[in-house]
Amino acid sequence: MFPRSAASLFEEIRKGSPFPLAWLGTGEGRVRTVRIAGFNLQQGRWYVTTHRRHAKVEQIRQFPRGELCLMELSGPLQLRLRSQLGWLGPDREAMRESLWRKVPGQDRWRFYGSEPTLLTPARDFLVLEGLVEEIDLLDLRPEYPVRRGYLRRGQDWVEQERPV
């Protein structure tokens, strides 16, 4: 389970703007805007959907690590989730189909060239999964400026104080 303070901050960010948009740093100075499709705070996992032909697919296959940055602009609040990355495979088809059903019909057409009513995922529809290994929590509200880090150690998290 995510540390309490990180889970609380995640819920605040989730209620604000620009969620579900986030930024994914994938190395080599590349930062991409992504849309969060799902998350599991119990397991420390997040999910983003993408197109099979995007450049990030090959880059992530070669270097499967990245950092997802979630923010609430008026906060200012940030969670940076350093993660091991991977693609959902055939053994996770039920989850892939569930996330496909969440894609609005017009986006199915616009991003995947799929009929808006298609019930099964388009061939080019991929789901990126991030397994969080480190959390950087940043709350810069004047009344409560704080920055904390958490490192995953098995099922537990080790807290680290970090300079604001």
Side-chain angles (χ1 to χ4, degrees):
M1 167 94 182
F2 255 37
R4 265 196 194 116
S5 59
S8 294
L9 196 66
F10 176 83
E11 290 303 326
E12 282 189 66
I13 289 170
R14 190 173 138 193
K15 294 175 191 171
S17 174
F19 193 87
L21 296 180
W23 292 268
L24 177 62
T26 55
E28 298 179 10
R30 299 299 306 257
V31 175
R32 294 169 164 93
T33 303
V34 295
R35 178 181 296 272
I36 302 297
F39 47 86
N40 183 327
L41 296 184
Q42 294 290 328
Q43 296 179 4
R45 295 176 188 270
W46 51 264
Y47 303 91
V48 166
T49 59
T50 191
H51 195 287
R52 179 179 310 279
R53 290 179 288 177
H54 286 178
K56 69 178 160 279
V57 173
E58 186 56 36
Q59 184 184 14
I60 290 169
R61 282 195 175 116
Q62 291 176 16
F63 185 76
R65 301 190 55 73
E67 185 170 272
L68 186 73
C69 181
L70 303 161
M71 62 182 2
E72 203 286 295
L73 295 175
S74 67
L77 311 172
Q78 283 189 30
L79 274 177
R80 300 175 190 139
L81 309 174
R82 200 157 296 128
S83 306
Q84 185 70 35
L85 305 177
W87 304 100
L88 290 191
D91 60 325
R92 309 270 301 277
E93 190 60 27
M95 180 171 213
R96 187 171 168 265
E97 288 176 2
S98 172
L99 293 172
W100 174 255
R101 287 191 296 273
K102 293 180 179 182
V103 176
Q106 70 273 14
D107 287 351
R108 290 179 186 182
W109 173 253
R110 195 169 38 181
F111 297 120
Y112 302 102
S114 167
E115 288 300 320
T117 58
L118 184 66
L119 299 177
T120 57
R123 180 178 124 37
D124 289 331
F125 179 77
L126 290 179
V127 178
L128 176 63
E129 177 180 51
L131 175 59
V132 180
E133 296 176 331
E134 182 178 346
I135 300 169
D136 193 12
L137 174 154
L138 190 59
D139 183 341
L140 293 178
R141 291 177 282 194
E143 67 277 11
Y144 190 66
V146 65
R147 182 175 181 206
R148 280 195 194 98
Y150 298 92
L151 297 174
R152 183 178 235 156
R153 296 291 180 250
Q155 298 290 40
D156 297 322
W157 294 92
V158 177
E159 183 174 347
Q160 298 178 322
E161 285 296 323
R162 295 182 177 178
V164 179

